[in-house]
Amino acid sequence: MKVGVLTAGGDCPGLNAAIRGVVARVTGGGGECVGIQKGWRGLMEGLVRPLTRDDVRGILYQGGTILGTSRMDPYVHGNGYESVRETVESAGIDSLVVIGGDGSLRTAARLEAEGLPVVGVPKTIDNDIPGTDVTFGFHTAVQIVTDAIDRLTTTAESHNRVMVVEVMGRTAGWIAAYAGIAGGAEAILVPEVEYDLDDLAERLRRRHKAGHDYSIVVVAEGTPTPEGDPATRGVDAYGFARLGGVGNVIAAELERLTGYECRVMTLGYLQRGGTPTAYDRILATRLGLAAGALAVAGESGVMVAVDGEDIVPVPLSVVDQPPRQLDTARMEDAAWFFA
Ligand code: F6P
């Protein structure tokens, strides 16, 4: 049994731990692994290399992906299964483990429907993939943002400023809500909950007049601006909007409404880089092992998912559902600490 592994879409901490898990499980059970480099592009262009247990030693704690990734896609930039068939056949791939976000997993499902045996592993810092309680990468991103908020708080306090911190998450507010709670933010704006800037300005005034004359406001990148649409910066390879810029709009409005000095910190790709937390290493390892076991057992059309404390297989078609939105009970928790 020869299992191919690829990482596709945006990177996130824990990808190497997941690759290592797949390889350990497949080779440990007598199978063989090959790595496809640069995501779907590698499957289209024949970028395949052997992946032994030795090749994945020492990568557990490394950020990024040893296989590389790309935003290229056989259905967007090629003609579907036909554009990967040659690589699959010449490399002798019996099953493909795809470690990807919802876009890459939807592509995996389409290839599966055309006859390629596939097992999916969900990954993203955004935590928005349907069918799983959590994705690896998320906790690391939350930790990075929390560390940044801790630092931004001391400079905001020194200068009596409002610091608006824009974080990733696409259409979901998971990172914003969790890091906002962990960092003790004064306000958290997310796509799932409407906000009122006049109310927020009033809250900030109350807090600052009471002597706490600095504030942290966390804004998820997908939060609509007061005009009603999210701020965007062009489109990605799939034609989807690239989000970003809402922090600047919110900061300008808050400065106008309160007269307080407002600054913006867009954390951007820092949230995706570097070593995964212990939690994400363990989660990614377990998901990789489970995916390897399913591939070896000849299962296909499934995604490994987190259900409570367990890793379970779910139909890959689950990724056709809309992105998993923030549980807004977290926003209610956060609100008890607002002025
Ligand atoms: O999905 C992960 C993510 O980091 C989002 O939070 C962000 O909107 C997007 O990817 C950025 O994508 P790119 O790497 O294409 O700039």
Side-chain angles (χ1 to χ4, degrees), residues 10 71 124-126 168-170 221 236 242-243 269 272:
R71 296 274 192 197
T124 170
I125 63 166
D126 303 331
M168 285 183 166
R170 294 198 306 172
E221 63 178 3
D236 67 14
R242 292 181 60 220
L243 297 166
Y269 298 95
R272 283 187 1 202

Side-chain angles (χ1 to χ4, degrees), residues 10 15 27 35-36 42 54 66 76 97 101 111 187 202 208 242 250 283 338:
L15 287 172
T27 59
I36 291 95
D54 270 346
I66 59 161
V76 178
V97 173
L111 289 172
E202 181 49 34
H208 287 224
R242 292 181 60 220
I250 299 292
L283 179 56
F338 298 160

Side-chain angles (χ1 to χ4, degrees), residues 26-333:
V26 172
T27 59
E32 214 182 316
C33 268
V34 289
I36 291 95
Q37 290 166 290
K38 302 185 194 299
W40 295 118
R41 179 177 161 196
L43 207 60
M44 296 167 75
E45 297 179 2
L47 310 175
V48 180
R49 64 174 236 215
L51 213 47
T52 66
R53 180 72 187 85
D54 270 346
D55 292 323
V56 295
R57 289 189 202 283
I59 65 167
L60 173 61
Y61 59 89
Q62 284 175 12
T65 158
I66 59 161
L67 293 174
T69 185
S70 67
R71 296 274 192 197
M72 214 164 151
D73 184 284
Y75 289 95
V76 178
H77 308 101
N79 52 346
Y81 191 50
E82 284 317 308
S83 39
V84 303
R85 184 189 295 279
E86 197 187 322
T87 306
V88 171
E89 288 178 357
S90 62
I93 294 169
D94 300 307
S95 175
L96 184 67
V97 173
V98 177
I99 309 172
D102 53 358
S104 316
L105 293 176
R106 272 197 293 274
T107 297
R110 288 177 78 176
L111 289 172
E112 209 263 341
E114 289 199 64
L116 179 66
V118 160
V119 175
V121 180
K123 63 87 208 165
T124 170
I125 63 166
D126 303 331
N127 201 33
D128 63 348
I129 298 186
T132 184
D133 288 354
V134 64
T135 54
F136 70 81
F138 169 62
H139 277 91
T140 305
V142 168
Q143 189 61 55
I144 292 167
V145 176
T146 303
D147 291 345
I149 291 175
D150 289 349
R151 289 177 185 278
L152 292 168
T153 299
T154 63
T155 170
E157 184 171 9
S158 303
H159 290 266
N160 309 125
R161 284 174 174 159
V162 175
M163 194 64 79
V164 176
V165 186
E166 182 180 311
V167 303
M168 285 183 166
R170 294 198 306 172
T171 58
W174 289 100
I175 298 174
Y178 274 60
I181 291 170
E186 182 46 37
I188 303 168
L189 307 187
V190 295
E192 293 89 345
V193 179
E194 276 184 35
Y195 63 90
D196 180 328
L197 279 188
D198 291 313
D199 277 1
L200 175 53
E202 181 49 34
R203 247 171 48 209
L204 295 183
R205 266 188 236 108
R206 268 205 312 275
R207 172 182 156 89
H208 287 224
K209 279 187 189 141
H212 307 288
D213 50 358
Y214 64 95
S215 293
I216 299 288
V217 176
V218 180
V219 185
E221 63 178 3
T223 308
T225 66
E227 272 73 50
D229 287 320
T232 57
R233 300 180 173 131
V235 291
D236 67 14
Y238 296 87
F240 292 125
R242 292 181 60 220
L243 297 166
V246 63
N248 292 309
V249 180
I250 299 292
E253 273 301 287
L254 287 177
E255 191 159 292
R256 186 181 67 77
L257 290 167
T258 61
Y260 300 146
E261 220 181 354
C262 296
R263 292 285 192 272
V264 185
M265 185 75 231
T266 303
L267 294 177
Y269 298 95
L270 275 177
Q271 295 162 91
R272 283 187 1 202
T275 187
T277 58
Y279 177 92
D280 277 339
R281 293 180 201 189
I282 294 164
L283 179 56
T285 297
R286 291 181 68 202
L287 289 167
L289 288 171
L294 288 166
V296 165
E299 296 283 338
S300 179
V302 289
M303 175 182 95
V304 287
V306 179
D307 180 8
E309 290 299 311
D310 299 326
I311 306 292
V312 295
V314 297
L316 190 50
S317 56
V318 75
V319 294
D320 289 334
Q321 293 173 18
R324 202 170 68 95
Q325 301 286 278
L326 170 69
D327 178 350
T328 52
R330 293 296 78 73
M331 294 296 283
E332 289 158 25
D333 297 338

